[in-house]
Amino acid sequence: MTPGYAEHDAARLYPEPGKSAVLPGSWPPRRSPFSRDRARVLHSAALRRLAGKTQVVGPGEGSEVSGVPRTRLTHSLEVAQIGRGIAEELGCDPDVVDTAGLAHDIGHPPFGHNGERALDSVARSCGGFEGNAQTLRILTRLEPKVLGEREHGLNLTRASLDAATKYPWPRTAGTSKFGVYEDDRAVFDWIREGAPDRRRCLEAQVMDWADDVAYSVHDVEDGVRSGRISIPALTDRNERTVVAELAAKHFSAEPVSGLEEVAAELVRLPVVADLAGAEYDGSLGAQVALKRLTSELVGRFAAAAVTATRGRYGGGTLTRYSAELMVPARVAAEVALLKAVALRYVLSDPGRLALQATQREWLTALVAALLDRGHHALEPAFVPAWQAAPDDGARLRVVVDQVAALTDAQAVRWHGVYVGAAASSV
């Protein structure tokens, strides 16, 4: 067992027998329980489906200049790698944080956060929809791996499930972010046994910071490659002010004036200045400069959190609830500004906003159509839950689980089959 972890942390909700197909006389396995967790997520269908789900630029939207944009899958792989590096520096079990990074987005539905909004609206009567709560549901119920007296999902260890829990609380009035549906409270309470109320473990904090670092830096990289983000434009003071205002509104508690100062210093960094002289043209030199930018910024943000945390807690092993991840205010402001850059130049594009409205309509109509058709329209794995559902709310949750599992392309295709067919029969 990794130092800093006990049997309580490595426990699984459902006790599993050993593997039965191993050849007699085989070398005894040395993998830790946490290494097994990572393998289970890595081999899951839920993780593979992320290859077909939107990160910022949707799958298939790449151009000759932008190449292949990130998907939810590649983003998750990057989060896992960044988180693993931070974990190794702090003494967290690297596999626990790696598992959390791989798993953190598997609850996202088609069309990213836009699809999340649509499903939350249609699922209000059964508790709503939240990507992080859906992640817990997939890990502990929906992903087929372990079947006991009920579905146990991947049956991960307590420590890995806790590390993947970004919001360790149920939905409450006035909040949109939460980590568990009421239907999944029993397993959530088991995961959180002995944990401080509403406090995230250190491994979850590392995963969350790795997520922030990955999508703030890499979304900007994808935006530059696609021609939507102009680094030279950020040298303009007025543009930096607009970005600072967006950062203050959506991502940071710092005042706009302070964010403007941080933005001015950020664009003076040599790795940023190297790209500020001309628009990105996809040449070999431009690609190298852009990759150097992303590499340097990821290293900057990860190292800052490690240094600040070590400065606060010293050089010992830091795990679970023995420490909080410390992120310097300056670095948090830089990450907030990068998020605001993506928001201004990519996510707020009028054409994208119009497409997103259409996508929400597709998902809303698809849920209604599947509810009307019943279990005959569901994939076989969802049929038992439909048949066992005691009421309309439970059946709605099954349909939402089904729709959330679809890739972007599958959602479009299912809409054409079930909604288009219904419309043509009127």
Side-chain angles (χ1 to χ4, degrees):
M1 188 72 66
T2 304
Y5 298 86
E7 290 184 8
H8 174 85
D9 306 312
R12 301 185 193 278
L13 182 58
Y14 182 74
E16 299 178 30
K19 294 184 181 295
S20 61
V22 177
L23 290 172
S26 295
W27 196 262
R30 300 178 61 184
R31 287 196 302 164
S32 72
F34 303 142
S35 175
R36 292 180 184 276
D37 287 345
R38 180 183 179 276
R40 291 181 181 196
V41 174
L42 188 63
H43 292 290
S44 68
L47 182 68
R48 292 195 300 274
R49 281 194 293 267
L50 295 183
K53 298 195 181 189
T54 295
Q55 173 61 13
V56 172
V57 179
E61 289 186 47
S63 67
E64 290 183 2
V65 175
S66 64
V68 182
R70 286 171 170 85
T71 65
R72 285 278 166 188
L73 175 59
T74 56
H75 165 71
S76 296
L77 295 174
E78 289 165 336
V79 171
Q81 178 60 33
I82 294 169
R84 188 180 188 92
I86 296 173
E88 289 171 343
E89 296 293 336
L90 296 180
C92 303
D93 188 286
D95 285 321
V96 170
V97 176
D98 200 329
T99 299
L102 291 173
H104 83 285
D105 264 356
I106 63 174
H108 272 277
F111 313 129
H113 290 293
N114 186 47
E116 190 176 19
R117 288 171 54 195
L119 292 184
D120 184 43
S121 179
V122 301
R124 285 288 176 175
S125 63
C126 65
F129 182 90
E130 211 284 335
N132 295 279
Q134 194 70 14
T135 291
L136 180 67
R137 189 171 179 83
I138 290 169
L139 293 176
T140 62
R141 182 191 294 244
L142 299 180
E143 179 67 21
K145 168 66 177 177
V146 176
L147 185 63
E149 70 278 7
R150 67 166 184 82
E151 302 90 339
H152 290 279
L154 294 177
N155 198 37
L156 304 182
T157 64
R158 178 182 275 113
S160 290
L161 288 169
D162 200 20
T165 303
K166 188 174 179 179
Y167 304 111
W169 54 78
R171 187 166 211 162
T172 56
T175 62
S176 59
K177 294 296 184 182
F178 59 99
V180 59
Y181 305 123
E182 283 302 317
D183 194 29
D184 298 318
R185 280 297 295 270
V187 68
F188 174 80
D189 290 342
W190 175 84
I191 294 166
R192 298 290 295 173
E193 185 179 313
D197 187 45
R198 298 176 70 90
R199 180 180 165 190
R200 295 182 299 170
C201 64
L202 177 61
E203 293 84 352
Q205 295 176 52
V206 171
M207 173 272 288
D208 191 27
W209 179 242
D211 186 24
D212 273 359
V213 170
Y215 81 73
S216 64
V217 174
H218 295 144
D219 288 0
V220 169
E221 180 187 350
D222 280 355
V224 171
R225 286 185 182 278
S226 67
R228 293 179 171 94
I229 293 176
S230 166
I231 296 297
L234 298 178
T235 62
D236 180 80
R237 183 173 182 177
N238 292 331
E239 278 299 301
R240 291 201 303 272
T241 297
V242 174
V243 169
E245 289 172 345
L246 284 173
K249 181 178 180 180
H250 297 285
F251 308 117
S252 175
E254 296 293 324
V256 172
S257 58
L259 289 167
E260 287 182 283
E261 293 178 8
V262 172
E265 294 173 5
L266 190 60
V267 297
R268 286 197 292 268
L269 286 176
V271 291
V272 182
D274 285 349
L275 285 165
E279 295 294 346
Y280 180 82
D281 60 4
S283 64
L284 180 60
Q287 290 186 56
V288 169
L290 182 58
K291 185 53 65 178
R292 184 168 59 247
L293 169 68
T294 61
S295 177
E296 291 275 359
L297 290 181
V298 167
R300 175 186 179 90
F301 299 151
V306 169
T307 301
T309 304
R310 283 302 187 191
R312 170 66 176 82
Y313 294 100
T317 296
L318 304 178
T319 66
R320 304 286 278 141
Y321 294 95
S322 65
E324 299 282 330
L325 188 71
M326 312 303 293
V327 177
R330 162 66 180 272
V331 169
E334 291 176 349
V335 168
L337 285 162
L338 292 177
K339 293 181 187 177
V341 167
L343 177 60
R344 171 160 173 74
Y345 299 109
V346 180
L347 300 177
S348 298
D349 176 77
R352 177 166 295 277
L353 293 177
L355 174 60
Q356 287 179 336
T358 300
Q359 290 169 341
R360 291 195 298 274
E361 292 173 1
W362 289 343
L363 293 186
T364 300
L366 180 56
V367 169
L370 295 181
L371 276 172
D372 184 58
R373 288 174 177 260
H375 70 274
H376 301 290
L378 304 178
E379 293 176 331
F382 293 96
V383 172
W386 173 278
Q387 294 174 332
D391 52 40
D392 289 345
R395 283 184 284 273
L396 174 58
R397 177 59 67 191
V398 175
V399 169
V400 169
D401 286 341
Q402 169 69 88
V403 173
L406 301 176
T407 65
D408 291 11
Q410 286 173 328
V412 174
R413 187 163 62 250
W414 280 47
H415 180 273
V417 170
Y418 294 112
V419 179
S424 65
S425 65
V426 173

